[in-house]
Amino acid sequence: MTKSRGKRRQKVTLQHVADAAKVSKATASLALNNNPRISEPTRQRVLDAVEALGYVYNQRAASLRTQRSYTIGLVFKDVSNPFNAELTSGAESQLADHNYSLVLATTNDNLEKQARMVKTMLERDVDGLILAPTATTAAASLQSLMDFCPLVLLTPYYESLAVDCVGMDDANGTARAVEHLIRQGHRRIAFVGGFATDLTRQRRLQSYRGTLQRHNIEFDPALRIAGPVSRRGGYDAVHQLLSVPRPPSAAYCYSDVIAFGVMLGLRAAGMEAGRDFAVIGFDDVPEASLWHPSLTTVSNDPRGLGEQAAQLMLRRLATADATIKRVIMPSHLVLRDSTAAPVHEMPS
Amino acid sequence: MTKSRGKRRQKVTLQHVADAAKVSKATASLALNNNPRISEPTRQRVLDAVEALGYVYNQRAASLRTQRSYTIGLVFKDVSNPFNAELTSGAESQLADHNYSLVLATTNDNLEKQARMVKTMLERDVDGLILAPTATTAAASLQSLMDFCPLVLLTPYYESLAVDCVGMDDANGTARAVEHLIRQGHRRIAFVGGFATDLTRQRRLQSYRGTLQRHNIEFDPALRIAGPVSRRGGYDAVHQLLSVPRPPSAAYCYSDVIAFGVMLGLRAAGMEAGRDFAVIGFDDVPEASLWHPSLTTVSNDPRGLGEQAAQLMLRRLATADATIKRVIMPSHLVLRDSTAAPVHEMPS
DNA sequence: GCTCCTGAGTGAATCGGTTAAGCAACAACT
DNA sequence: AGTTGTTGCTTAACCGATTCACTCAGGAGC
């Protein structure tokens, strides 16, 4: 048989169950919800009928009345970024424990697609939305989104909004990374990747400059390279960096993927990270430990981030007027081989 | 202000829109669905009202009547496996194009959790289910699942079921991998990872044995190591392999993550993949090209797999009695450094 | 003038649950 | 006996859309 009969089982509804148990639909409903007003024998009859008929509860129908869909929307750029995959996994496991499901959508960092996806989520009547806004999302549009459903942001950079959010400790993470490089003797340290509109990048850049300043190192705009958050972006940055009059001996990269690109770019230029040049990333994605050389990076527990976001959402759903909570996940520097060697002079 | 007002906008329903446009609810509905029976001026009045009131369509309510929820459930072991992340990404993008959303659930390869998740999906009234069944899932239970909703399996190994499915070309992929090793001069080739219950593994093992046989190489059970699909699993297997009387000079691994573990295990034993030992993986996850040495592996386009699965589902939803389609995604061997060196004698 | 269309819109049932209000039967208490 | 309470269940409204069957004007045809 290679032909589907396309014959689906006739849907069994609560009414059928009620009939079979010889009670009213209301009683059946109450029985299934363990309402104490229903006697034990009756409840058992209902449960037996459910079993016998193979009844499947229709959450969707129920939600129409209860106004609770038990689904949470999760919207971010891309699942295939390992950071987001971990984050999703963390959120999913928390939510599943509380009987919530996760509906997924991705934006490709495109504002228009984000709007479309958010709309879809609202039409699906999600109970809440966990959102990593694209770089250019206006605070006002997030504010108005909050009129429609509870919101948890995956970024700490909308301070003007009274919104729950969870973010990484960009300032501290960056400071520690840069300080590590300075301690190793580096004085010419590049900042690589990301675009100027990106709020997270702005914060890290600020911390980078502050840290340099605290160590009396002058900030050199030529060492700040903007570019896409991808391997390619890092690879291409290396060209620019090496052609600066006094080239850097180290790079602090906006994210691990960029750092990977930088390492590849260095190799193409006959240099090796960890020996001829120091490279630090941000995220600590699983690959970071696998690279050769392994990547020193700021670790951020993406799974924990997802769990936190889920928990903030669950909390807000439980008590709508709870105090706004902004969670900053601690980050710590993971020392690996890409910064192993102390500074040494660049061949100009 | 650090206190949420918890004040959500009062939900605007179609009735409100109808009132504002001075038409009936029915007319409003028809207008929004571009029904030709509604005149253009009236339709415009409705659209204006929608705009003015900020009406949000309630897909959930509609689905109660239409019996179409426009959501597809995706159930597999774990998002954080990069293979699955890519697959999800592929499926999501296809489905989003057709206005479907993805609801996600993970099983941790646990039969009981799988049952729970599938039940949740059915209660959510998904239009269809894309499922990567856990290793021990009985065909019968999948069969009965098909009574409830369209199903697409992410494995080709339930031939007895009339079910759409998409899988990898395990037999061919394995054969090419093993043949490559043989051509390099290897005669003692291990098969590493996975458990005997796993249908996919069975298929690959069979192809591995067949290929050896075709080249007149005797199968040695001591070179077949079972174990978890993880880095650890691969790492631990190395111990066993190296203590076999005549140790192997190459390993064909059940998956890339296992291969990574094997490489780490080799290094711990003072050997290097690609130089002292050949290693091949399966999947071609992004890390495969990043490892050092980079991993020769069977490439499988996980994103394409996800896209295919989504397309099979969309097709089945469009025509319920379409012919069953079993898609085998072509796989090809990606030659990298982990198999670069020709065979050389093992230090026994 | 009368019937018959046709085009445009409406009323009401419907999907599958939940829940407020009500009611019958019986026990307990004055 | 009459009031009051409880217990256990039922009736019917409701959630927010869709859709079938119907109405109602106005125009065409005779």
Side-chain angles (χ1 to χ4, degrees):
Chain A
M1 167 196 344
T2 60
K3 185 93 175 169
S4 164
R5 288 154 331 328
K7 221 199 304 182
R8 299 262 111 73
R9 164 203 266 275
Q10 169 62 37
K11 214 167 247 178
V12 177
T13 74
L14 194 54
Q15 185 65 66
H16 299 136
V17 170
D19 292 350
K22 306 218 181 296
V23 294
S24 72
K25 198 170 57 151
T27 302
S29 173
L30 294 171
L32 293 184
N33 289 300
N34 290 316
N35 187 303
R37 310 209 56 149
I38 305 300
S39 72
E40 203 40 58
T42 305
R43 181 194 319 287
Q44 201 52 55
R45 277 214 321 287
V46 172
L47 292 177
D48 290 349
V50 164
E51 192 62 31
L53 300 179
Y55 167 69
V56 175
Y57 176 75
N58 188 332
Q59 156 69 48
R60 190 172 289 270
S63 77
L64 192 53
R65 183 70 219 259
T66 59
Q67 304 290 56
R68 269 281 169 122
S69 66
Y70 284 94
T71 52
I72 302 294
L74 178 58
V75 180
F76 49 43
K77 294 183 196 176
D78 183 12
V79 223
S80 61
N81 180 324
F83 188 87
N84 288 331
E86 288 285 335
L87 186 148
T88 304
S89 178
E92 199 266 343
S93 75
Q94 287 295 305
L95 293 175
D97 286 351
H98 292 78
N99 252 306
Y100 278 82
S101 294
L102 206 53
V103 189
L104 217 65
T106 59
T107 64
N108 304 330
D109 204 12
N110 170 343
L111 192 58
E112 188 265 329
K113 191 175 177 204
Q114 172 175 281
R116 232 169 46 235
M117 288 302 142
V118 165
K119 177 159 171 262
T120 304
M121 300 270 116
L122 291 179
E123 292 184 349
R124 301 276 135 133
D125 204 19
V126 294
D127 285 344
L129 214 44
I130 300 177
L131 174 66
T134 68
T136 53
T137 306
S141 75
L142 293 177
Q143 177 65 64
S144 66
L145 182 52
M146 292 175 66
D147 291 345
F148 292 96
C149 79
L151 185 64
V152 170
L153 292 184
L154 294 172
T155 161
Y157 297 126
Y158 286 87
E159 283 117 345
S160 65
L161 295 178
V163 61
D164 294 309
C165 60
V166 34
M168 300 175 282
D169 195 346
D170 294 301
N172 249 303
T174 301
R176 290 197 198 157
V178 174
E179 267 161 9
H180 176 66
L181 292 172
I182 294 174
R183 256 198 312 279
Q184 295 272 73
H186 297 278
R187 289 296 174 275
R188 301 281 291 162
I189 300 171
F191 181 103
V192 180
F195 289 111
T197 46
D198 186 326
L199 293 170
T200 299
R201 180 179 187 267
Q202 286 170 22
R203 191 70 198 79
R204 291 190 197 163
L205 187 57
Q206 181 189 329
S207 170
Y208 157 86
R209 294 183 62 163
T211 307
L212 291 183
Q213 193 162 31
R214 274 198 306 285
H215 290 80
N216 298 313
I217 300 175
E218 199 188 350
F219 166 68
D220 181 350
L223 299 185
R224 178 192 51 197
I225 312 280
V229 180
S230 65
R231 254 170 237 150
R232 182 91 225 160
Y235 190 93
D236 292 343
V238 173
H239 277 271
Q240 292 184 59
L241 285 177
L242 296 183
S243 58
V244 166
R246 283 165 51 223
S249 62
Y252 163 68
C253 302
Y254 175 65
S255 97
D256 282 356
V257 282
I258 294 173
F260 297 146
V262 167
M263 296 209 250
L264 292 171
L266 286 170
R267 198 169 296 160
M271 300 171 66
E272 189 68 16
R275 193 189 63 197
D276 315 311
F277 197 98
V279 177
I280 291 196
F282 205 107
D283 282 351
D284 196 21
V285 298
E287 290 96 312
S289 62
L290 307 182
W291 261 82
H292 191 84
S294 58
L295 179 66
T296 293
T297 185
V298 180
S299 176
N300 282 294
D301 187 13
R303 178 163 246 282
L305 220 80
E307 289 171 359
Q308 268 298 326
Q311 259 153 25
L312 284 185
M313 180 54 78
L314 290 168
R315 169 172 161 281
R316 169 96 7 217
L317 290 171
T319 51
D321 60 350
T323 310
I324 294 294
K325 212 160 164 178
R326 303 175 205 270
V327 177
I328 300 294
M329 299 290 285
S331 58
H332 63 276
L333 192 63
V334 181
L335 297 179
R336 297 209 184 88
D337 298 338
S338 67
T339 56
V343 71
H344 76 180
E345 280 310 302
M346 286 291 296
S348 91
Chain B
M1 166 196 343
T2 60
K3 185 93 177 171
S4 162
R5 292 160 322 332
K7 220 198 301 178
R8 299 261 112 71
R9 165 203 264 275
Q10 169 61 35
K11 212 167 248 177
V12 178
T13 75
L14 193 55
Q15 186 65 66
H16 299 136
V17 171
D19 293 349
K22 306 219 179 295
V23 294
S24 73
K25 201 170 53 154
T27 302
S29 172
L30 294 172
L32 293 183
N33 288 300
N34 290 317
N35 188 303
R37 312 206 52 152
I38 305 301
S39 72
E40 204 39 59
T42 306
R43 183 195 317 289
Q44 200 52 57
R45 277 215 320 287
V46 173
L47 292 178
D48 291 348
V50 163
E51 191 62 33
L53 299 178
Y55 167 70
V56 176
Y57 177 75
N58 189 331
Q59 157 68 48
R60 190 171 289 270
S63 78
L64 191 53
R65 185 70 223 257
T66 60
Q67 305 289 53
R68 267 282 170 120
S69 66
Y70 284 94
T71 51
I72 302 294
L74 178 58
V75 180
F76 48 42
K77 293 183 196 177
D78 184 12
V79 223
S80 60
N81 180 323
F83 188 88
N84 287 332
E86 289 284 336
L87 187 149
T88 303
S89 177
E92 199 267 343
S93 75
Q94 287 296 304
L95 293 176
D97 286 351
H98 292 77
N99 251 305
Y100 278 81
S101 295
L102 251 196
V103 188
L104 216 65
T106 59
T107 64
N108 305 328
D109 204 11
N110 170 343
L111 192 58
E112 189 265 330
K113 190 174 177 204
Q114 172 175 281
R116 233 168 46 234
M117 290 301 143
V118 165
K119 178 160 169 260
T120 304
M121 301 272 114
L122 291 179
E123 293 185 348
R124 302 275 135 130
D125 205 18
V126 294
D127 285 343
L129 213 45
I130 301 177
L131 174 66
T134 67
T136 52
T137 306
S141 75
L142 293 177
Q143 177 65 63
S144 65
L145 181 52
M146 293 176 65
D147 291 346
F148 291 96
C149 78
L151 184 64
V152 170
L153 293 184
L154 294 172
T155 160
Y157 297 126
Y158 285 87
E159 283 117 345
S160 65
L161 296 179
V163 61
D164 295 308
C165 60
V166 35
M168 300 174 282
D169 195 346
D170 294 302
N172 251 301
T174 301
R176 289 196 200 158
V178 174
E179 267 160 8
H180 175 66
L181 292 172
I182 294 173
R183 258 199 312 278
Q184 296 273 75
H186 297 278
R187 288 296 176 273
R188 300 281 292 164
I189 300 172
F191 181 104
V192 179
F195 289 110
T197 47
D198 187 327
L199 293 170
T200 300
R201 180 179 188 266
Q202 286 170 22
R203 193 68 198 78
R204 293 192 195 160
L205 187 58
Q206 181 189 327
S207 170
Y208 157 86
R209 294 184 62 163
T211 307
L212 291 182
Q213 195 162 31
R214 274 198 306 286
H215 290 81
N216 298 311
I217 299 175
E218 200 188 351
F219 165 68
D220 180 351
L223 298 185
R224 177 192 53 199
I225 312 279
V229 180
S230 64
R231 255 170 237 148
R232 183 90 226 160
Y235 190 93
D236 291 344
V238 173
H239 277 272
Q240 292 183 60
L241 286 176
L242 296 183
S243 58
V244 167
R246 285 165 50 222
S249 62
Y252 162 70
C253 302
Y254 175 66
S255 97
D256 282 356
V257 281
I258 294 173
F260 297 146
V262 167
M263 295 210 254
L264 292 171
L266 286 170
R267 198 170 295 160
M271 300 171 68
E272 189 69 16
R275 192 187 63 197
D276 316 311
F277 198 99
V279 177
I280 291 196
F282 205 108
D283 282 352
D284 196 19
V285 300
E287 290 96 310
S289 63
L290 307 180
W291 260 82
H292 192 83
S294 57
L295 179 66
T296 293
T297 184
V298 179
S299 175
N300 283 294
D301 188 14
R303 179 163 246 281
L305 220 80
E307 289 170 1
Q308 268 299 325
Q311 259 154 24
L312 284 185
M313 181 54 78
L314 290 169
R315 170 172 161 281
R316 168 98 344 184
L317 290 171
T319 52
D321 60 350
T323 310
I324 294 294
K325 212 159 163 179
R326 303 173 205 271
V327 176
I328 300 295
M329 299 291 284
S331 58
H332 64 277
L333 192 63
V334 180
L335 297 179
R336 297 209 185 89
D337 298 338
S338 66
T339 57
V343 71
H344 75 182
E345 280 309 304
M346 286 290 298
S348 91

